[in-house]
Amino acid sequence: MASRSTPGDGSGSLAGGPGSGGGGPVGPFVFPPFHAFPPAYTVQPTASTRARQVELWVACILDYCRHYRLFWLGVEGHGGLFRNDQVDRRLSAKDAHFFLSALVSRGGGRWEGAAGGSSAAAAGGHGGSSSSGGSGDGRGGGGGGRVLVYWRSPAAWGDLIYKWVEATARNGTVMTLYEVRLGEDARGQEFYDLDVQLACDALAALQAAGKCALFSSDTSDDLGVKFL
Amino acid sequence: MNGVGVAGLRAAAARRAALSATGATAAADAAAALSSHASTFTTELAKFASAHRADIEGNPAFRERFHALCATVGVDPLTSTKGVWGRLLGVGAFYAELSVRLVGVCATTRSVNGGLLRMDELVALLNRRVGSGGGRAGGERGGGGAPSPRATVTADDVRRAVKRLASLGGGYAVDRIGGVEVVRSVPGELSRDAGVVAGLAMARRGMVTAASVAATTGWGADRTATALRAAVEGGFAWVDDGGRERSYWFLGLAEGGGEDEGALDADGHTVGGGSDAGCGGDGWGIASRLRLPLASATAATASTVPGAASVRAAPTTPSASLQGSFAS
């Protein structure tokens, strides 16, 4: 069995190799009972009910992605997330987009192409300045875009990286993103094999906190970073 | 000689006066005796309550008989006044804590059931709430007044608590819908038609369609649509457009399936228990199975997203005012 068991079809990207995160095989995700409730798959017309529905979907999405160490999620969902075959219901692309937008508005992620980093995540609302591609306020990503899911905030990822930097006496050294993500020393760390975009967001957050300096605004493994 | 003439009249009057004086005295004596008995009885009852606090809290049958006994003397143990009843901390604290939890459950489930929750579901929810977080109201006053974790809450207890809550405003009441008791925690009952629809839903595992309503009631399309819309707009029903026709689901009115719900962790979330059952073929109690948080907010850790914490938002707990009304 692979170290990360995945449900259903393999659509959507799945990060995490054998050495990443907590290690060990992961059982199938236990969906909340709400997931088997047919009306969950219809956006509710009444505001107070809809608000609750959004809360439940946002929590479900975060828990699911955290469980499978998923970083990207599109409107097609992943595995059994946006559908329940037992009750024969699925989220339409439009409704999935609605809930993904809600996830982003609540700071649970950002659209691909939007600016990443601590300000976008922490604001929880209309985040960051727009860069190339979509805007940061959740309307981005068009009809088929993907969301980078923050089941752990970029700031928290940054903290994990920085603690490791301190523990391994790397303060003052210059590294590439590749070395941080996939270096030998990083094996077994939670951030090992972290998604590139998310790692960039994490380092941007660290930079905002004054704990590192980035040498460019690359979002690739070539990004240079000096930990202070 | 006997009762004749003025002398006789005077004698009669004197006799009557003596009699009434005696009567008054007798009445006064009797009243005094009664009062003394009542006071003794009250004291004894209070002592009894104190001594058997654990039984009152832990044993529903015992609690019922205690309440019946109090009723015969016209005493309400829930209105603790100063004096002997002020010592009935156990009883007052039990209902105070129950009321706080009841308000909490209603507040948390209101966003999915609009403030209508069938009695048996509510009772089941209150009884699932074990251990941590229960109000230590009595305990603060010394002497372990906190209810035991295994205290079983009954529908009678809920009715008593709701009666007390009703006097505080906020719309708490026990209604009957479709012949089944439902606890309402919002002001304003359902309109008559919406109530009929809810009653139908109650009998159909919580779900109806416009067609099933019209078929059962004989209503026209407009009247059916209006009633259903009222239920949806009131937050009592969710809509489901994923089937052939739109269906309406009344979360607060569906029955629990009775299967293992699993234990509760410190946050009031279900751990373990059947999760794949979903809404299978049997009745299910969505309100209890939505794993809605029943405890106050736990602090989100730094690594979790701020948005996720809102799912665990604290229900409103007007504990101060409730405590005040139960244990002055």
Side-chain angles (χ1 to χ4, degrees):
Chain A
M1 248 318 167
S3 61
R4 290 276 183 274
S5 63
T6 57
D9 59 317
S11 65
S13 62
L14 176 62
S20 59
V26 171
F29 179 68
V30 173
F31 284 97
F34 153 82
H35 191 261
F37 183 52
Y41 298 83
T42 303
V43 174
Q44 296 299 305
T46 303
S48 56
T49 312
R50 185 169 61 246
R52 186 56 158 155
Q53 180 186 27
V54 164
E55 282 182 348
L56 289 162
W57 269 114
V58 165
C60 184
I61 290 170
L62 289 171
D63 288 343
Y64 182 93
C65 291
R66 183 179 300 115
H67 181 85
Y68 289 114
R69 214 176 140 88
L70 272 185
F71 298 115
W72 291 99
L73 193 61
V75 294
E76 73 285 352
H78 180 273
L81 178 56
F82 285 162
R83 67 167 201 268
N84 186 309
D85 294 331
Q86 243 189 334
V87 300
D88 192 26
R89 293 287 185 274
R90 66 189 322 150
L91 278 183
S92 67
K94 177 161 164 278
D95 292 347
H97 191 269
F98 173 79
F99 290 116
L100 286 175
S101 294
L103 176 72
V104 170
S105 313
R106 281 162 174 69
R110 69 161 168 87
W111 288 102
E112 182 165 34
S118 59
S119 58
H126 307 290
S129 53
S130 62
S131 56
S132 61
S135 59
D137 65 358
R139 282 197 299 278
R146 321 187 283 171
V147 167
L148 180 60
V149 181
Y150 291 161
W151 44 265
R152 177 180 277 131
S153 71
W157 280 114
D159 282 346
L160 281 178
I161 292 172
Y162 195 72
K163 280 194 177 60
W164 168 78
V165 162
E166 289 184 310
T168 56
R170 281 183 153 83
N171 300 73
T173 64
V174 175
M175 302 174 70
T176 62
L177 180 58
Y178 180 86
E179 290 172 295
V180 174
R181 284 199 318 119
L182 291 163
E184 275 303 311
D185 273 359
R187 261 184 201 279
Q189 294 295 320
E190 284 230 48
F191 57 83
Y192 185 77
D193 204 12
L194 185 62
D195 174 83
V196 173
Q197 295 278 335
L198 186 45
C200 292
D201 288 358
L203 292 178
L206 265 188
Q207 175 166 252
K211 295 191 171 157
C212 75
L214 300 176
F215 285 87
S216 69
S217 50
D218 267 356
T219 51
S220 75
D221 273 336
D222 293 332
L223 175 65
V225 51
K226 176 173 181 178
F227 294 101
L228 306 173
Chain B
M1 201 110 49
N2 299 333
V4 171
V6 172
L9 284 171
R10 273 207 207 107
R15 258 199 314 276
R16 270 197 301 277
L19 269 176
S20 76
T22 313
T25 312
D29 283 345
L34 201 60
S35 161
S36 147
H37 282 309
S39 143
T40 309
F41 187 79
T42 305
T43 313
E44 289 306 309
L45 200 51
K47 276 200 226 163
F48 177 89
S50 283
H52 292 90
R53 182 179 307 154
D55 283 323
I56 292 172
E57 289 167 8
N59 186 330
F62 194 90
R63 189 157 63 241
E64 283 313 302
R65 280 161 57 192
F66 174 72
H67 277 286
L69 196 55
C70 292
T72 62
V73 256
V75 170
D76 181 359
L78 302 192
T79 31
S80 300
T81 55
K82 302 211 191 322
V84 297
W85 292 107
R87 289 204 296 275
L88 283 186
L89 301 177
V91 180
F94 175 86
Y95 284 96
E97 200 243 358
L98 173 62
S99 297
V100 169
R101 284 162 48 199
L102 197 158
V103 168
V105 169
C106 288
T108 352
T109 57
R110 192 170 298 140
S111 58
V112 299
N113 63 28
L116 277 187
L117 182 53
R118 54 190 292 159
M119 176 67 81
D120 49 8
E121 274 300 305
L122 174 57
V123 169
L125 276 170
L126 288 169
N127 282 314
R128 284 171 74 217
R129 181 80 154 71
V130 293
S132 68
R136 295 283 179 257
E140 285 150 21
R141 271 171 278 238
S148 84
R150 276 184 300 283
T152 315
V153 175
T154 64
D156 281 333
D157 295 323
V158 172
R159 278 185 217 107
R160 276 188 281 266
V162 167
K163 212 161 96 173
R164 298 290 305 156
L165 284 169
S167 65
L168 296 173
Y172 283 84
V174 176
D175 295 341
R176 284 195 90 85
I177 291 182
V180 175
E181 271 191 314
V182 164
V183 174
R184 175 166 52 85
S185 58
V186 288
E189 297 185 51
L190 285 173
S191 71
R192 196 184 49 187
D193 280 2
V196 169
V197 171
L200 285 178
M202 180 88 77
R204 289 154 183 270
R205 298 205 296 266
M207 190 272 278
V208 295
T209 58
S212 65
V213 171
T216 319
T217 59
W219 294 344
D222 279 349
R223 188 172 173 191
T224 304
T226 304
L228 288 167
R229 192 179 328 122
V232 171
E233 285 174 1
F236 306 112
W238 290 54
V239 302
D240 168 29
D241 286 333
R244 259 176 331 201
E245 53 180 326
R246 173 176 269 202
S247 51
Y248 301 81
W249 302 67
F250 289 74
L251 272 79
L253 306 181
E255 284 182 80
E259 63 203 65
D260 175 29
E261 293 289 347
L264 287 175
D265 66 11
D267 288 337
H269 292 114
T270 305
V271 291
S275 63
D276 57 357
C279 71
D282 307 320
W284 36 266
I286 272 292
S288 57
R289 295 183 193 209
L290 280 177
R291 291 198 212 162
L292 298 170
L294 300 181
S296 351
T298 50
T301 63
S303 64
T304 56
V305 172
S310 69
V311 177
R312 301 184 171 84
T316 350
T317 47
S319 49
S321 58
L322 276 173
Q323 298 289 28
S325 78
F326 277 92
S328 60

mmCIF file of all heavy atoms in Angstrom, chain B residues 257-297:
data_model
loop_
_atom_site.group_PDB
_atom_site.id
_atom_site.type_symbol
_atom_site.label_atom_id
_atom_site.label_comp_id
_atom_site.label_asym_id
_atom_site.label_seq_id
_atom_site.Cartn_x
_atom_site.Cartn_y
_atom_site.Cartn_z
ATOM 1 N N GLY B 257 -31.469 7.407 14.521
ATOM 2 C CA GLY B 257 -31.505 6.022 14.072
ATOM 3 C C GLY B 257 -31.294 5.064 15.213
ATOM 4 O O GLY B 257 -31.511 3.873 15.069
ATOM 5 N N GLY B 258 -30.853 5.561 16.344
ATOM 6 C CA GLY B 258 -30.661 4.689 17.495
ATOM 7 C C GLY B 258 -29.385 3.892 17.452
ATOM 8 O O GLY B 258 -29.095 3.132 18.351
ATOM 9 N N GLU B 259 -28.580 4.087 16.395
ATOM 10 C CA GLU B 259 -27.350 3.298 16.411
ATOM 11 C C GLU B 259 -26.275 4.024 17.174
ATOM 12 O O GLU B 259 -26.454 5.133 17.620
ATOM 13 C CB GLU B 259 -26.895 3.025 14.977
ATOM 14 C CG GLU B 259 -26.558 4.273 14.207
ATOM 15 C CD GLU B 259 -26.666 4.044 12.717
ATOM 16 O OE1 GLU B 259 -27.778 3.788 12.266
ATOM 17 O OE2 GLU B 259 -25.643 4.119 12.050
ATOM 18 N N ASP B 260 -25.158 3.391 17.307
ATOM 19 C CA ASP B 260 -24.099 3.927 18.130
ATOM 20 C C ASP B 260 -23.604 5.263 17.593
ATOM 21 O O ASP B 260 -23.152 5.376 16.464
ATOM 22 C CB ASP B 260 -22.931 2.934 18.148
ATOM 23 C CG ASP B 260 -21.731 3.480 18.891
ATOM 24 O OD1 ASP B 260 -21.931 4.288 19.811
ATOM 25 O OD2 ASP B 260 -20.614 3.111 18.535
ATOM 26 N N GLU B 261 -23.705 6.271 18.420
ATOM 27 C CA GLU B 261 -23.263 7.582 17.972
ATOM 28 C C GLU B 261 -21.816 7.821 18.331
ATOM 29 O O GLU B 261 -21.268 8.868 18.036
ATOM 30 C CB GLU B 261 -24.117 8.672 18.640
ATOM 31 C CG GLU B 261 -25.553 8.668 18.191
ATOM 32 C CD GLU B 261 -25.718 9.153 16.763
ATOM 33 O OE1 GLU B 261 -24.760 9.714 16.201
ATOM 34 O OE2 GLU B 261 -26.798 8.948 16.213
ATOM 35 N N GLY B 262 -21.220 6.895 19.011
ATOM 36 C CA GLY B 262 -19.846 7.128 19.422
ATOM 37 C C GLY B 262 -19.782 7.997 20.665
ATOM 38 O O GLY B 262 -20.776 8.521 21.133
ATOM 39 N N ALA B 263 -18.595 8.123 21.207
ATOM 40 C CA ALA B 263 -18.397 8.919 22.423
ATOM 41 C C ALA B 263 -18.199 10.375 22.043
ATOM 42 O O ALA B 263 -18.106 10.714 20.879
ATOM 43 C CB ALA B 263 -17.176 8.389 23.159
ATOM 44 N N LEU B 264 -18.169 11.217 23.034
ATOM 45 C CA LEU B 264 -17.938 12.626 22.793
ATOM 46 C C LEU B 264 -16.577 12.992 23.337
ATOM 47 O O LEU B 264 -16.234 12.594 24.443
ATOM 48 C CB LEU B 264 -18.992 13.481 23.504
ATOM 49 C CG LEU B 264 -20.387 13.483 22.909
ATOM 50 C CD1 LEU B 264 -21.313 14.284 23.802
ATOM 51 C CD2 LEU B 264 -20.378 14.096 21.524
ATOM 52 N N ASP B 265 -15.827 13.784 22.579
ATOM 53 C CA ASP B 265 -14.563 14.237 23.138
ATOM 54 C C ASP B 265 -14.801 15.540 23.885
ATOM 55 O O ASP B 265 -15.911 16.002 24.010
ATOM 56 C CB ASP B 265 -13.498 14.386 22.049
ATOM 57 C CG ASP B 265 -13.834 15.488 21.055
ATOM 58 O OD1 ASP B 265 -14.773 16.274 21.301
ATOM 59 O OD2 ASP B 265 -13.169 15.566 20.026
ATOM 60 N N ALA B 266 -13.710 16.119 24.353
ATOM 61 C CA ALA B 266 -13.845 17.292 25.202
ATOM 62 C C ALA B 266 -14.534 18.455 24.507
ATOM 63 O O ALA B 266 -15.125 19.302 25.150
ATOM 64 C CB ALA B 266 -12.460 17.728 25.696
ATOM 65 N N ASP B 267 -14.463 18.501 23.186
ATOM 66 C CA ASP B 267 -15.109 19.597 22.480
ATOM 67 C C ASP B 267 -16.565 19.317 22.186
ATOM 68 O O ASP B 267 -17.227 20.117 21.554
ATOM 69 C CB ASP B 267 -14.404 19.850 21.129
ATOM 70 C CG ASP B 267 -13.048 20.485 21.331
ATOM 71 O OD1 ASP B 267 -12.851 21.108 22.385
ATOM 72 O OD2 ASP B 267 -12.204 20.346 20.440
ATOM 73 N N GLY B 268 -17.031 18.143 22.576
ATOM 74 C CA GLY B 268 -18.401 17.798 22.242
ATOM 75 C C GLY B 268 -18.517 17.220 20.856
ATOM 76 O O GLY B 268 -19.605 17.070 20.322
ATOM 77 N N HIS B 269 -17.400 16.884 20.228
ATOM 78 C CA HIS B 269 -17.456 16.266 18.910
ATOM 79 C C HIS B 269 -17.507 14.757 19.053
ATOM 80 O O HIS B 269 -16.931 14.182 19.952
ATOM 81 C CB HIS B 269 -16.214 16.635 18.094
ATOM 82 C CG HIS B 269 -16.187 18.079 17.721
ATOM 83 N ND1 HIS B 269 -15.254 18.952 18.204
ATOM 84 C CD2 HIS B 269 -17.006 18.814 16.935
ATOM 85 C CE1 HIS B 269 -15.490 20.156 17.720
ATOM 86 N NE2 HIS B 269 -16.547 20.102 16.934
ATOM 87 N N THR B 270 -18.183 14.150 18.107
ATOM 88 C CA THR B 270 -18.286 12.702 18.145
ATOM 89 C C THR B 270 -16.987 12.091 17.678
ATOM 90 O O THR B 270 -16.416 12.508 16.675
ATOM 91 C CB THR B 270 -19.414 12.238 17.216
ATOM 92 O OG1 THR B 270 -20.607 12.911 17.592
ATOM 93 C CG2 THR B 270 -19.614 10.750 17.329
ATOM 94 N N VAL B 271 -16.525 11.133 18.404
ATOM 95 C CA VAL B 271 -15.387 10.358 17.920
ATOM 96 C C VAL B 271 -15.870 8.928 17.782
ATOM 97 O O VAL B 271 -16.577 8.403 18.626
ATOM 98 C CB VAL B 271 -14.181 10.429 18.888
ATOM 99 C CG1 VAL B 271 -13.602 11.824 18.883
ATOM 100 C CG2 VAL B 271 -14.568 10.037 20.297
ATOM 101 N N GLY B 272 -15.470 8.305 16.700
ATOM 102 C CA GLY B 272 -15.945 6.951 16.477
ATOM 103 C C GLY B 272 -17.421 6.949 16.162
ATOM 104 O O GLY B 272 -18.004 7.946 15.808
ATOM 105 N N GLY B 273 -18.027 5.830 16.297
ATOM 106 C CA GLY B 273 -19.450 5.725 15.988
ATOM 107 C C GLY B 273 -19.676 5.568 14.496
ATOM 108 O O GLY B 273 -18.768 5.734 13.705
ATOM 109 N N GLY B 274 -20.870 5.247 14.108
ATOM 110 C CA GLY B 274 -21.156 5.012 12.697
ATOM 111 C C GLY B 274 -21.107 6.290 11.904
ATOM 112 O O GLY B 274 -21.803 7.240 12.210
ATOM 113 N N SER B 275 -20.294 6.312 10.907
ATOM 114 C CA SER B 275 -20.240 7.524 10.102
ATOM 115 C C SER B 275 -20.649 7.237 8.678
ATOM 116 O O SER B 275 -20.910 8.122 7.906
ATOM 117 C CB SER B 275 -18.838 8.093 10.100
ATOM 118 O OG SER B 275 -17.980 7.152 9.485
ATOM 119 N N ASP B 276 -20.679 5.970 8.317
ATOM 120 C CA ASP B 276 -21.012 5.682 6.930
ATOM 121 C C ASP B 276 -22.511 5.525 6.747
ATOM 122 O O ASP B 276 -22.987 5.378 5.648
ATOM 123 C CB ASP B 276 -20.290 4.411 6.479
ATOM 124 C CG ASP B 276 -20.632 3.226 7.377
ATOM 125 O OD1 ASP B 276 -21.367 3.433 8.363
ATOM 126 O OD2 ASP B 276 -20.168 2.118 7.110
ATOM 127 N N ALA B 277 -23.236 5.531 7.830
ATOM 128 C CA ALA B 277 -24.678 5.311 7.706
ATOM 129 C C ALA B 277 -25.339 6.474 6.994
ATOM 130 O O ALA B 277 -26.238 6.302 6.196
ATOM 131 C CB ALA B 277 -25.294 5.129 9.088
ATOM 132 N N GLY B 278 -24.836 7.671 7.290
ATOM 133 C CA GLY B 278 -25.429 8.830 6.625
ATOM 134 C C GLY B 278 -26.921 8.799 6.777
ATOM 135 O O GLY B 278 -27.450 8.679 7.867
ATOM 136 N N CYS B 279 -27.630 8.858 5.691
ATOM 137 C CA CYS B 279 -29.079 8.873 5.804
ATOM 138 C C CYS B 279 -29.666 7.622 5.226
ATOM 139 O O CYS B 279 -30.722 7.644 4.638
ATOM 140 C CB CYS B 279 -29.669 10.083 5.118
ATOM 141 S SG CYS B 279 -29.556 9.979 3.346
ATOM 142 N N GLY B 280 -29.031 6.505 5.334
ATOM 143 C CA GLY B 280 -29.503 5.224 4.836
ATOM 144 C C GLY B 280 -30.997 5.064 4.735
ATOM 145 O O GLY B 280 -31.711 6.006 4.472
ATOM 146 N N GLY B 281 -31.470 3.911 4.947
ATOM 147 C CA GLY B 281 -32.899 3.698 4.800
ATOM 148 C C GLY B 281 -33.648 3.994 6.079
ATOM 149 O O GLY B 281 -34.832 4.253 6.062
ATOM 150 N N ASP B 282 -32.957 3.972 7.215
ATOM 151 C CA ASP B 282 -33.666 4.146 8.483
ATOM 152 C C ASP B 282 -33.778 5.613 8.842
ATOM 153 O O ASP B 282 -33.161 6.464 8.235
ATOM 154 C CB ASP B 282 -32.887 3.451 9.608
ATOM 155 C CG ASP B 282 -32.596 2.009 9.258
ATOM 156 O OD1 ASP B 282 -33.478 1.372 8.693
ATOM 157 O OD2 ASP B 282 -31.480 1.570 9.535
ATOM 158 N N GLY B 283 -34.533 5.880 9.840
ATOM 159 C CA GLY B 283 -34.631 7.249 10.324
ATOM 160 C C GLY B 283 -33.275 7.687 10.854
ATOM 161 O O GLY B 283 -32.527 6.892 11.358
ATOM 162 N N TRP B 284 -32.955 8.900 10.723
ATOM 163 C CA TRP B 284 -31.680 9.376 11.256
ATOM 164 C C TRP B 284 -31.880 10.751 11.848
ATOM 165 O O TRP B 284 -32.715 11.525 11.423
ATOM 166 C CB TRP B 284 -30.612 9.426 10.169
ATOM 167 C CG TRP B 284 -31.141 9.831 8.848
ATOM 168 C CD1 TRP B 284 -31.570 9.012 7.845
ATOM 169 C CD2 TRP B 284 -31.355 11.162 8.371
ATOM 170 N NE1 TRP B 284 -32.020 9.735 6.795
ATOM 171 C CE2 TRP B 284 -31.902 11.070 7.059
ATOM 172 C CE3 TRP B 284 -31.136 12.416 8.908
ATOM 173 C CZ2 TRP B 284 -32.226 12.172 6.303
ATOM 174 C CZ3 TRP B 284 -31.457 13.532 8.151
ATOM 175 C CH2 TRP B 284 -31.990 13.394 6.856
ATOM 176 N N GLY B 285 -31.146 11.076 12.846
ATOM 177 C CA GLY B 285 -31.261 12.378 13.475
ATOM 178 C C GLY B 285 -30.099 13.242 13.034
ATOM 179 O O GLY B 285 -29.031 13.213 13.620
ATOM 180 N N ILE B 286 -30.313 13.979 11.982
ATOM 181 C CA ILE B 286 -29.218 14.765 11.443
ATOM 182 C C ILE B 286 -28.686 15.760 12.457
ATOM 183 O O ILE B 286 -27.492 15.990 12.529
ATOM 184 C CB ILE B 286 -29.637 15.505 10.154
ATOM 185 C CG1 ILE B 286 -29.394 14.604 8.958
ATOM 186 C CG2 ILE B 286 -28.857 16.786 9.988
ATOM 187 C CD1 ILE B 286 -27.936 14.340 8.682
ATOM 188 N N ALA B 287 -29.580 16.331 13.223
ATOM 189 C CA ALA B 287 -29.103 17.344 14.157
ATOM 190 C C ALA B 287 -28.045 16.773 15.068
ATOM 191 O O ALA B 287 -27.053 17.408 15.368
ATOM 192 C CB ALA B 287 -30.268 17.892 14.979
ATOM 193 N N SER B 288 -28.253 15.545 15.523
ATOM 194 C CA SER B 288 -27.250 14.990 16.418
ATOM 195 C C SER B 288 -26.069 14.463 15.632
ATOM 196 O O SER B 288 -24.961 14.442 16.135
ATOM 197 C CB SER B 288 -27.847 13.882 17.269
ATOM 198 O OG SER B 288 -28.405 12.886 16.447
ATOM 199 N N ARG B 289 -26.299 14.069 14.402
ATOM 200 C CA ARG B 289 -25.219 13.466 13.660
ATOM 201 C C ARG B 289 -24.381 14.456 12.882
ATOM 202 O O ARG B 289 -23.433 14.078 12.224
ATOM 203 C CB ARG B 289 -25.761 12.438 12.679
ATOM 204 C CG ARG B 289 -26.402 11.305 13.402
ATOM 205 C CD ARG B 289 -26.871 10.273 12.444
ATOM 206 N NE ARG B 289 -27.752 9.356 13.128
ATOM 207 C CZ ARG B 289 -27.903 8.096 12.778
ATOM 208 N NH1 ARG B 289 -27.240 7.639 11.752
ATOM 209 N NH2 ARG B 289 -28.719 7.330 13.424
ATOM 210 N N LEU B 290 -24.754 15.731 12.931
ATOM 211 C CA LEU B 290 -23.922 16.706 12.251
ATOM 212 C C LEU B 290 -22.698 17.040 13.085
ATOM 213 O O LEU B 290 -21.922 17.898 12.722
ATOM 214 C CB LEU B 290 -24.709 17.986 11.954
ATOM 215 C CG LEU B 290 -25.603 17.904 10.721
ATOM 216 C CD1 LEU B 290 -26.386 19.183 10.554
ATOM 217 C CD2 LEU B 290 -24.772 17.665 9.480
ATOM 218 N N ARG B 291 -22.557 16.333 14.218
ATOM 219 C CA ARG B 291 -21.408 16.554 15.082
ATOM 220 C C ARG B 291 -21.242 18.027 15.373
ATOM 221 O O ARG B 291 -20.147 18.567 15.356
ATOM 222 C CB ARG B 291 -20.123 16.043 14.445
ATOM 223 C CG ARG B 291 -20.069 14.554 14.338
ATOM 224 C CD ARG B 291 -18.636 14.150 14.137
ATOM 225 N NE ARG B 291 -18.548 12.959 13.326
ATOM 226 C CZ ARG B 291 -17.443 12.559 12.709
ATOM 227 N NH1 ARG B 291 -16.360 13.275 12.804
ATOM 228 N NH2 ARG B 291 -17.438 11.476 12.019
ATOM 229 N N LEU B 292 -22.365 18.686 15.598
ATOM 230 C CA LEU B 292 -22.277 20.103 15.885
ATOM 231 C C LEU B 292 -21.631 20.294 17.241
ATOM 232 O O LEU B 292 -21.912 19.570 18.177
ATOM 233 C CB LEU B 292 -23.672 20.718 15.872
ATOM 234 C CG LEU B 292 -24.341 20.582 14.502
ATOM 235 C CD1 LEU B 292 -25.785 20.975 14.592
ATOM 236 C CD2 LEU B 292 -23.614 21.427 13.488
ATOM 237 N N PRO B 293 -20.733 21.258 17.339
ATOM 238 C CA PRO B 293 -20.030 21.453 18.609
ATOM 239 C C PRO B 293 -21.000 21.853 19.696
ATOM 240 O O PRO B 293 -21.823 22.720 19.514
ATOM 241 C CB PRO B 293 -19.050 22.592 18.287
ATOM 242 C CG PRO B 293 -19.600 23.257 17.099
ATOM 243 C CD PRO B 293 -20.367 22.239 16.326
ATOM 244 N N LEU B 294 -20.926 21.198 20.816
ATOM 245 C CA LEU B 294 -21.842 21.494 21.905
ATOM 246 C C LEU B 294 -21.154 22.228 23.033
ATOM 247 O O LEU B 294 -21.752 22.543 24.030
ATOM 248 C CB LEU B 294 -22.451 20.204 22.450
ATOM 249 C CG LEU B 294 -23.252 19.391 21.429
ATOM 250 C CD1 LEU B 294 -23.814 18.154 22.086
ATOM 251 C CD2 LEU B 294 -24.371 20.228 20.861
ATOM 252 N N ALA B 295 -19.843 22.436 22.883
ATOM 253 C CA ALA B 295 -19.112 23.092 23.966
ATOM 254 C C ALA B 295 -18.725 24.486 23.520
ATOM 255 O O ALA B 295 -18.941 24.855 22.376
ATOM 256 C CB ALA B 295 -17.876 22.278 24.321
ATOM 257 N N SER B 296 -18.168 25.239 24.424
ATOM 258 C CA SER B 296 -17.727 26.585 24.040
ATOM 259 C C SER B 296 -16.515 26.495 23.154
ATOM 260 O O SER B 296 -15.917 25.448 23.021
ATOM 261 C CB SER B 296 -17.361 27.422 25.258
ATOM 262 O OG SER B 296 -17.723 26.783 26.415
ATOM 263 N N ALA B 297 -16.172 27.600 22.569
ATOM 264 C CA ALA B 297 -15.067 27.625 21.616
ATOM 265 C C ALA B 297 -13.772 27.175 22.268
ATOM 266 O O ALA B 297 -13.462 27.526 23.390
ATOM 267 C CB ALA B 297 -14.884 29.044 21.092
#
